[in-house]
Amino acid sequence: MADQSSNSNSNSSSSVTKKEGFKTYSYILLYIALSSGQIFFNKWVLSSKEINFPYPLGLTLLHMMFSSVLCFVLTKVLKILKVEEGMTLEIYTTSVIPIGAMFAMTLWLGNTAYLYISVSFAQMLKAVMPVAVFILGVAAGLEAMSIRMLLIMSVISFGVLVASYGEININWIGVVYQMGGVVGEALRLIFMEILVKRKGLKLNPISMMYYVSPCSALCLLIPWIFLEKPKMDAQGTWSFQPLVLILNSLCTFALNLSVFLVIQHTSALTIRVAGVVKDWVVVLLSALLFADTKLTLINIFGYAIAIGGVAAYNNFKLKKEATRAAIPDHPNTSSSSPKTSIPTAFSSKTSTQ
């Protein structure tokens, strides 16, 4: 009887483990599919003559407005999701508003780059993100200069330079827009680290979306009125396809939600590894889907070097975070239950689009 009971418990435990494993892998695949698909979706909406919506600023504004409304409905009306407590007016004005402004800048410039350069080349340029974050982090006093970090930054920079050298149809306007987006994302990550380290507030992705999306929408609305609205008015009637744009916005929100699910059921490390896989999927698939993408061996070789540097950077940051978490009296360590926070290390792109 005892043996039968033990076997039954063992089989039950094994069944639960398999179900959890299946669920975890499903979330990871969902994230990779949504993240890759959203990049292609944005490229198609912005450059397709059938959709006729070459307005990256307007598209990004629509995403943020849609996210703001949906977050409010899910957290305050339906109460399916919960917003983390602890937000104050001082924290919002000194941290959330700068984060929202930089997030708006990142998405605006990044989406604009798709009008000038291929998806694969844009992904390669994004690999330089850790370099921008490290330089700004040192300037803000959040990172310490070291020989090891300088070596890692040099490897990443060299890889991106090699990948750029191998680009056949390089458009410098697109490169400037993409690098501007990289700087905006790096600044956003710096402000987020300040929010966590100096303000002591950790927000899960849903809470961050709830607070940041309205701010980002406002930051995008002002330049949209002056830069893109006159062009849209010049068309006479806004003959766009609303269902496609709404679906695009819904996919963006679903992508952010998938990040929340992956981190909640696995770890921040998993989302970073999945991000690296996603980057390679985007680079290779874009060569098959878009006529403006022509990969060369130099492209792939340079990108592989850069991704190797990004992996070394993520490994270094994760070890540093683990060491910090192991210190019981560290100022960021709380006795309360841990909260899921947005990762500050990344694949070649931390932003969820």
Side-chain angles (χ1 to χ4, degrees):
M1 291 291 293
D3 289 342
Q4 290 179 352
S5 176
S6 176
N7 290 335
S8 176
N9 291 335
S10 177
N11 291 334
S12 176
S13 176
S14 176
S15 177
V16 170
T17 302
K18 287 181 179 179
K19 287 181 179 179
E20 286 298 318
F22 177 76
K23 186 186 295 185
T24 298
Y25 283 116
S26 297
Y27 287 139
I28 293 172
L29 290 175
L30 178 65
Y31 161 74
I32 293 174
L34 284 173
S35 185
S36 305
Q38 187 61 37
I39 291 174
F40 296 137
F41 201 172
N42 286 347
K43 170 73 173 178
W44 180 64
V45 168
L46 292 170
S47 60
S48 171
K49 293 181 180 179
E50 291 82 7
I51 303 302
N52 190 32
F53 198 84
Y55 306 108
L57 188 52
L59 183 65
T60 309
L61 173 61
L62 184 63
H63 290 168
M64 291 299 101
M65 292 175 63
F66 189 89
S67 178
S68 300
V69 173
L70 205 52
C71 278
F72 180 81
V73 171
L74 291 175
T75 57
K76 299 301 181 182
V77 179
L78 301 179
K79 296 183 179 179
I80 298 175
L81 301 171
K82 183 181 178 182
V83 177
E84 300 287 356
E85 302 295 333
M87 181 61 66
T88 64
L89 180 61
E90 187 269 335
I91 291 177
Y92 193 88
T93 53
T94 59
S95 296
V96 175
I97 290 179
I99 290 172
M102 291 302 102
F103 191 43
M105 173 183 169
T106 299
L107 298 179
W108 170 21
L109 297 180
N111 282 332
T112 303
Y114 290 142
L115 296 175
Y116 300 93
I117 59 178
S118 66
V119 171
S120 62
F121 187 47
Q123 288 298 119
M124 292 176 189
L125 291 176
K126 290 171 189 174
V128 81
M129 183 75 68
V131 179
V133 172
F134 178 69
I135 292 173
L136 292 172
V138 171
L142 298 173
E143 296 278 1
M145 187 69 72
S146 68
I147 300 297
R148 183 176 181 180
M149 287 301 290
L150 283 175
L151 180 61
I152 291 174
M153 297 302 110
S154 299
V155 170
I156 296 174
S157 300
F158 176 73
V160 173
L161 285 174
V162 171
S164 301
Y165 180 77
E167 181 67 11
I168 298 174
N169 301 316
I170 189 167
N171 185 305
W172 290 107
I173 296 177
V175 171
V176 170
Y177 273 120
Q178 187 59 65
M179 297 312 294
V182 167
V183 172
E185 176 70 2
L187 287 170
R188 183 183 75 90
L189 290 172
I190 293 298
F191 285 129
M192 284 180 61
E193 195 156 348
I194 291 174
L195 178 68
V196 172
K197 284 187 175 181
R198 297 181 181 175
K199 307 293 183 181
L201 182 64
K202 290 187 178 182
L203 299 174
N204 62 40
I206 293 297
S207 299
M208 185 61 72
M209 287 166 60
Y210 175 82
Y211 289 119
V212 169
S213 293
C215 177
S216 296
L218 182 60
C219 291
L220 291 165
L221 178 63
I222 298 172
W224 174 78
I225 291 174
F226 293 100
L227 297 178
E228 286 189 354
K229 187 176 181 296
K231 297 178 183 178
M232 297 169 74
D233 289 336
Q235 289 192 348
T237 57
W238 291 12
S239 57
F240 311 124
Q241 299 186 26
L243 289 178
V244 173
L245 297 178
I246 291 173
L247 180 60
N248 183 263
S249 300
L250 185 61
C251 288
T252 301
F253 185 85
L255 169 59
N256 290 326
L257 190 61
S258 72
V259 174
F260 172 65
L261 291 172
V262 171
I263 297 176
Q264 187 179 54
H265 288 84
T266 56
S267 66
L269 172 61
T270 304
I271 200 71
R272 292 160 189 159
V273 174
V276 172
V277 175
K278 179 265 299 181
D279 291 337
W280 276 107
V281 169
V282 170
V283 168
L284 297 177
L285 279 183
S286 63
L288 301 175
L289 297 176
F290 297 104
D292 65 347
T293 301
K294 295 180 180 179
L295 291 177
T296 65
L297 288 177
I298 298 178
N299 278 145
I300 298 175
F301 179 67
Y303 189 53
I305 293 174
I307 287 296
V310 170
Y313 175 83
N314 280 339
N315 182 57
F316 179 82
K317 290 289 289 185
L318 286 167
K319 286 183 178 179
K320 188 176 179 181
E321 290 171 9
T323 303
R324 183 185 300 144
I327 303 175
D329 59 347
H330 192 275
N332 290 336
T333 304
S334 172
S335 58
S336 60
S337 60
K339 300 177 182 177
T340 304
S341 59
I342 299 177
T344 53
F346 30 73
S347 65
S348 66
K349 182 173 173 57
T350 49
S351 177
T352 55
Q353 286 188 19

